[in-house]
Amino acid sequence: MHPAVPIPADPTPAFVSNTPGLVYQFTLQPNGRVAFPYLSEGCAALLGLPAADLQAAPDRFLQLIVPDDRKGYLDSMQASASALSGWNWEGRIWIDEYQDQKWINLRSSPRALPAAPGAVHWEGIMTNITASKLEQLEVTRSRARLAELTSHIEHVKEQERTRIAREIHDDLGGNLTAIKMALMMLTQRLPADQPLLLERAGYVDALVDRTIEAVHRISLDLRPSMLDFGLVAALEWQSREFEKQNGIACAFWSSQKEIDLSVDHATALFRIFQEALTNIAKHAKASQVTVRLQKLRQHVTLIIADNGCGIDPADHLKARSFGLRGMSERARALGGTMALSQASGGGALVTIKIELASPAAAIMDPSHVEQKQQ
């Protein structure tokens, strides 16, 4: 038998009367028994039990807690008791009398009781946080729905880009090729004594060539055909194009010859890479870029480093910082993360990490969105 645990004096009535919620004292004895030496008048309003009833049967408090939240409550209690650190827990309780569920927050400070070795005594307050918690949950749900909608829009946009790129390449490219062939036939039949006509025909032929090149470039910008050969090939091609167009050395390395990703995942990761290179070209003042793509178990990691002037991780929070924000949102839609940091030799380091088998991958599937909407 453990000696009776002396009960500390009640809180000051003036303090209690001006404190919202339930002011309480709670004791945990070494044998696991609990007690509520003091409960303020707010007990019945918050917990649906008169203070005297809860003091007579303190185990009823655990029974009030929703079963899914009880383990968290007990674990947090033991952690606080072991370290004698502040106890801060929030969870749901069910009030039978009102058939109502509430979210409550419990905050208290522990101290050991010398008269009973191993016993811990807490003094603190419980408050009803239902309104704020429901608002927080609604915000979380709204963000999830917005992320889902954004991912769906990106998917539809990529489909539309693919369709337009194909039509431009097939229709306009085919027509321009036919025009060039017809022009060549006409040019061959022009009389040699008409130099002005030959000059104009040469001008038109050069104009057709430039238009064909423009059609090819626009088609690639809309949807690079290299994506049909896989992510590794597409990233390597984009690295060479970046180096050629901007005069900035770009070294690409992959841990594997090919990484098996869905079309949506590969396209999204490719777009993130494009945006990262665009930011480097515009802002980094770099002369060298290093790109590493690697697969580690169930994750794919894309690391982009430059030797430029660097980037502040807080820059993606700036107003109108749509490039960095778009990269981060795309990564999140893939069930992954994007981190900004400083490269070892100066400059910026962008790390994108995504899961190969992610629940968020279903978001990129339009059939998933349609099912959710039905």
Side-chain angles (χ1 to χ4, degrees), residues 9 16 99 103 105 116 119 136 187 214 217-218 235-236 246-247 282 294 314 356:
V16 174
Q99 293 293 294
W103 281 88
N105 176 255
Q136 179 184 342
T187 303
R217 185 185 69 255
I218 293 170
L235 295 184
E236 188 173 12
N246 297 279
K282 286 183 177 179
Q294 52 189 342
L356 286 176

Side-chain angles (χ1 to χ4, degrees), residues 142-159:
S142 296
R143 286 178 177 174
R145 289 193 294 267
L146 181 59
E148 184 179 31
L149 177 60
T150 301
S151 296
H152 176 60
I153 291 172
E154 288 295 336
H155 177 87
V156 172
K157 187 164 65 175
E158 289 296 341
Q159 285 187 321

Side-chain angles (χ1 to χ4, degrees), residues 152-204:
H152 176 60
I153 291 172
E154 288 295 336
H155 177 87
V156 172
K157 187 164 65 175
E158 289 296 341
Q159 285 187 321
E160 188 67 7
R161 281 175 171 172
T162 301
R163 184 188 65 79
I164 294 173
R166 185 178 296 114
E167 290 186 0
I168 288 176
H169 181 272
D170 294 347
D171 295 345
L172 291 183
N175 290 341
L176 286 169
T177 301
I179 291 172
K180 182 174 178 63
M181 293 177 63
L183 184 61
M184 185 183 303
M185 293 177 60
L186 291 174
T187 303
Q188 292 173 349
R189 297 181 180 183
L190 287 176
D193 59 350
Q194 296 289 334
L196 184 59
L197 289 178
L198 289 171
E199 180 184 350
R200 298 303 298 173
Y203 169 77
V204 174

